């Protein structure tokens, strides 16, 4: 494996703005025909005219080809500002331009991509797709074009006053209004037309949503796999794991079949939960926490070849009961190990950034010791003498540590106080719409709630 800095030099030899992800990685939102590569730039709409003669325009849009041309000529596409900011901060900094290009799925095609004409359509090596927005959850920080449950709520009540960016008018203006599951969706048609070709060079396929386990296209993909094994493919699927038992059983049967018969290289199951118990149920509305954990255990028992990754979007209501969640994760990590004694259960803790009033940004300094103690607790399980003794890996600990670093550097401000009041107003609307009481779900936050009320 090449060192990252060597890959950066090879990329720079093509051009200082060259990045393989622009050719080889794509995230496609079929519910509204939006696409981007990689996931950092804003999405843009795929033209139905382009799709009519080339279904690969789901990835090879004329807009993206322009950016590829810029990259080959040494011009930085504006949409990649995320990487330019990192690279400009220090000459030695490496951005995702290097890390993504250094990944196996990308690096092996460096020669092919750097010498091909800029306007040639290419098959991606990494596809992330959302087949639709069907979802039975109405999470506090989610949006109606991503969850059909929230869309129903927004059609009835409109947007939350603190979240004007998700107003249906705004979503419509941005071309992001989703097709409902009963409507004919030309983007889904185009995807399946493109798939025989798109799947040829594919190394990673990730299905996201909405809730992928509720979408028939997920099962259409399994059917394809049964007829067309892809032994080099890493498959990943996201789920809220809050689906009806019959649907879960069907999904487990499919995954068991494809892993038992080695139709793919490996399988990663990403499942979302942000903290423990009722606090988690408040923020991810629709979740039954105990049932969720039972579903996690069922999946791990039934599909022993899979890895399971908890995706915990750490937010304002993650903090006070996080230790109880950590204990359950530790227990699962210990109980589910591979033949070399390494755990197959992982924890990923990105932190919520938007909406800000639901993020840890609104919390006060007296919450920080709780976060710090949880970090120290994780570190206790990150050491060991024999292989597999350490239950948390360095990347899991450092990701959580990043949250504490961010919090400890926050300064008190009028803006934060204003966000607390926005949170209080949001909770009133949330209670009314959902027919619940905040204090039944988050009694530990009573003092903080009062603070928000008078902010
Ligand atoms: S330069 Fe950065 S933002 Fe742009 S495609 Fe590459 S990894 Fe993504």
């Amino acid at each position: 494996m090449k060192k990252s800095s060597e890959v950066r030099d090879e990329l720079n030899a093509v051009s200082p703005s060259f990045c393989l992800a622009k050719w080889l990685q794509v995230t496609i939102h079929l519910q509204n025909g939006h696409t981007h590569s990689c996931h950092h730039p804003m999405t843009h709409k795929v033209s139905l005219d382009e799709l009519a003669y080339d279904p690969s325009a789901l990835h090879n849009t004329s807009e993206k080809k322009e950016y590829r041309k810029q990259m080959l000529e040494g011009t930085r596409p504006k949409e990649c500002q995320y990487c330019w900011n990192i690279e400009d901060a220090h000459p030695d900094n490496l951005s995702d331009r290097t890390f993504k290009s250094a990944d196996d799925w990308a690096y092996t095609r460096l020669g092919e991509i750097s010498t091909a004409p800029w306007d040639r359509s290419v098959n991606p090596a990494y596809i992330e797709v959302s087949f639709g927005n069907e979802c039975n959850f109405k999470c506090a920080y989610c949006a109606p074009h991503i969850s059909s449950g929230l869309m129903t709520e927004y059609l009835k009540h409109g947007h939350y006053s603190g979240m004007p960016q998700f107003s249906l008018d705004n979503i419509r203006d941005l071309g992001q209004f989703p097709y409902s599951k009963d409507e004919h969706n030309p983007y889904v048609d185009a995807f399946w037309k493109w798939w025989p070709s798109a799947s040829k060079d594919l190394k990673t396929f990730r299905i996201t949503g909405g809730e992928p386990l509720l979408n028939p296209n997920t099962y259409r993909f399994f059917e394809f796999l049964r007829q067309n094994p892809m032994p080099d493919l890493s498959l990943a699927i996201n789920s809220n794991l809050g689906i009806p038992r019959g649907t879960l059983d069907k999904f487990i049967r499919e995954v068991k079949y494809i892993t038992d018969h080695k139709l793919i290289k490996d399988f990663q199951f990403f499942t979302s939960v942000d903290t423990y118990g009722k606090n988690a149920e408040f923020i991810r509305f629709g979740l039954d926490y105990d049932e969720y954990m039972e579903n996690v255990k069922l999946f791990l028992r039934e599909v022993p070849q899979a890895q399971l990754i908890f995706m915990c979007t750490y937010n304002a209501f993650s903090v006070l009961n996080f230790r109880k969640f950590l204990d359950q994760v530790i227990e699962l990590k210990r109980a589910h190990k591979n033949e070399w004694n390494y755990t197959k259960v992982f924890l990923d803790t990105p932190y919520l950034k938007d909406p800000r009033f639901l993020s840890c940004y609104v919390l006060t300094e007296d919450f920080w010791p709780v976060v710090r103690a949880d970090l120290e607790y994780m570190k206790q399980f990150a050491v060991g003498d024999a292989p597999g003794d350490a239950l948390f890996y360095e990347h899991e600990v450092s990701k959580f540590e990043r949250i504490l670093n961010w919090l400890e550097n926050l300064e008190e401000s009028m803006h934060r106080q204003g966000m607390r009041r926005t949170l209080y107003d949001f909770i009133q609307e949330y209670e009314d719409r959902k027919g619940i009481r905040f204090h039944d779900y988050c009694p530990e936050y009573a003092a903080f709630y009062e603070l928000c009320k008078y902010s």
Side-chain angles (χ1 to χ4, degrees):
M1 179 110 179
K2 288 243 175 189
K3 275 170 59 183
S4 299
S5 56
E6 289 171 1
V7 174
R8 188 259 326 266
D9 294 344
E10 286 183 60
L11 295 173
N12 286 352
V14 180
S15 117
S17 61
F18 182 64
C19 171
L20 286 167
K22 193 63 74 196
W23 279 259
L24 298 177
Q25 187 175 35
V26 62
T27 298
I28 313 167
H29 307 267
L30 292 173
Q31 67 263 41
N32 54 21
H34 273 243
T35 188
H36 46 162
S37 78
C38 58
H39 63 286
H40 294 309
M42 299 279 283
T43 62
H44 60 274
K45 186 101 176 172
V46 179
S47 143
L48 284 173
D49 291 341
E50 277 189 55
L51 265 198
Y53 63 84
D54 179 12
S56 94
L58 287 172
H59 168 52
N60 298 297
T61 61
S62 46
E63 189 170 330
K64 204 188 283 182
K65 285 179 177 175
E66 276 302 318
Y67 296 135
R68 292 174 184 167
K69 181 169 184 277
Q70 290 177 16
M71 282 189 163
L72 286 168
E73 292 170 348
T75 305
R76 291 172 158 192
K78 282 203 179 62
E79 68 160 14
C80 295
Q81 199 57 44
Y82 176 86
C83 283
W84 315 137
N85 287 345
I86 293 169
E87 293 184 20
D88 291 345
H90 192 279
D92 293 337
N93 276 2
L94 299 177
S95 68
D96 266 1
R97 179 172 81 90
T98 296
F99 296 126
K100 285 178 182 288
S101 300
D103 260 342
D104 273 353
W105 53 262
Y107 182 72
T108 47
R109 291 175 64 185
L110 174 64
E112 170 210 331
I113 299 296
S114 62
T115 53
W118 63 271
D119 56 353
R120 178 183 292 172
S121 293
V122 291
N123 281 336
Y126 188 122
I127 297 178
E128 179 174 28
V129 69
S130 160
F131 285 118
N133 76 333
E134 292 98 304
C135 186
N136 50 342
F137 279 20
K138 298 188 263 186
C139 301
Y141 48 69
C142 194
H145 52 297
I146 300 173
S147 158
S148 58
L150 265 183
M151 176 57 86
T152 306
E153 185 185 304
Y154 273 52
L155 285 168
K156 189 169 173 202
H157 298 284
H159 63 277
Y160 287 88
S161 47
M163 298 162 97
Q165 71 276 29
F166 295 150
S167 80
L168 296 183
D169 283 346
N170 195 39
I171 287 173
R172 214 173 265 116
D173 290 349
L174 293 170
Q176 292 180 338
F177 204 88
Y179 288 87
S180 78
K181 72 175 171 35
D182 301 322
E183 278 177 293
H184 170 243
N185 182 337
Y187 294 102
V188 174
D189 283 355
F191 179 86
W192 288 115
K193 225 187 259 174
W194 178 42
W195 180 249
S197 160
S199 56
K200 274 195 193 117
D201 298 307
L202 203 56
K203 298 287 180 245
T204 300
F205 186 48
R206 181 162 175 168
I207 307 178
T208 176
E211 171 47 48
L213 274 54
L214 294 177
N215 193 302
N217 289 287
T218 302
Y219 302 92
R220 183 170 172 182
F221 166 69
F222 287 137
E223 189 53 42
F224 173 90
L225 261 187
R226 283 178 180 248
Q227 311 300 328
N228 306 274
M230 298 172 75
D232 294 332
L233 185 76
S234 292
L235 175 64
I237 297 183
N238 297 0
S239 175
N240 64 30
L241 264 186
I243 48 170
R245 180 58 194 261
T247 309
L248 178 61
D249 286 344
K250 179 179 166 191
F251 171 74
I252 288 176
R253 263 196 317 276
E254 292 295 339
V255 179
K256 205 170 161 43
Y257 185 88
I258 61 170
T259 51
D260 283 353
H261 291 81
K262 301 191 180 353
L263 304 187
I264 53 171
K265 189 168 88 179
D266 47 54
F267 181 72
Q268 290 187 312
F269 193 40
F270 289 83
T271 179
S272 308
V273 68
D274 300 336
T275 188
Y276 176 84
K278 297 298 277 182
N279 293 174
E281 291 176 5
F282 178 75
I283 203 87
R284 294 184 58 76
F285 192 80
L287 172 75
D288 176 326
Y289 185 83
D290 292 339
E291 195 178 285
Y292 170 84
M293 275 298 172
E294 286 310 309
N295 288 344
V296 165
K297 288 175 194 164
L298 176 72
F299 178 84
L300 284 166
R301 263 197 322 271
E302 293 292 323
V303 193
Q305 299 93 333
Q307 289 186 346
L308 183 138
I309 301 103
F310 287 105
M311 281 191 300
C312 169
T313 306
Y314 198 82
N315 61 73
F317 299 107
S318 296
V319 180
L320 294 183
N321 272 320
F322 198 68
R323 178 68 61 88
K324 291 182 187 161
F325 170 62
L326 275 181
D327 279 334
Q328 287 187 309
V329 172
I330 289 164
E331 193 184 311
L332 289 166
K333 277 175 168 282
R334 203 173 264 135
H336 297 279
K337 294 191 164 187
N338 65 20
E339 63 213 277
W340 301 284
N341 199 37
Y342 291 108
T343 186
K344 292 180 289 184
V345 177
F346 300 90
L347 175 64
D348 188 23
T349 50
Y351 60 86
L352 185 72
K353 296 187 183 79
D354 285 308
R356 283 213 124 180
F357 62 83
L358 285 167
S359 78
C360 294
Y361 177 76
V362 293
L363 297 177
T364 46
E365 271 183 29
D366 44 327
F367 285 85
W368 303 171
V370 183
V371 184
R372 197 176 304 117
D374 286 342
L375 174 65
E376 293 309 319
Y377 190 64
M378 278 178 83
K379 284 180 177 173
Q380 287 175 33
F381 294 91
V383 288
D385 298 328
D389 278 358
L391 292 175
F392 283 112
Y393 291 99
E394 201 262 328
H395 70 273
E396 294 171 290
V397 175
S398 61
K399 191 111 180 226
F400 191 69
E401 192 160 27
R402 214 174 50 147
I403 298 172
L404 183 65
N405 291 341
W406 168 55
L407 295 177
E408 289 187 331
N409 283 304
L410 281 178
E411 287 185 10
E412 189 50 44
S413 67
M414 295 291 284
H415 187 257
R416 284 176 71 196
Q417 285 175 32
M419 285 289 110
R420 286 179 197 129
R421 179 66 207 192
T422 306
L423 173 60
Y424 174 79
D425 293 339
F426 173 81
I427 290 173
Q428 309 313 302
E429 273 183 288
Y430 197 75
E431 284 181 321
D432 283 351
R433 290 180 183 206
K434 263 86 171 175
I436 58 169
R437 285 184 64 246
F438 176 74
H439 294 296
D440 293 339
Y441 285 77
C442 302
E444 307 83 355
Y445 288 81
F448 173 67
Y449 177 88
E450 287 302 307
L451 175 79
C452 292
K453 185 174 180 178
Y454 297 106
S455 286

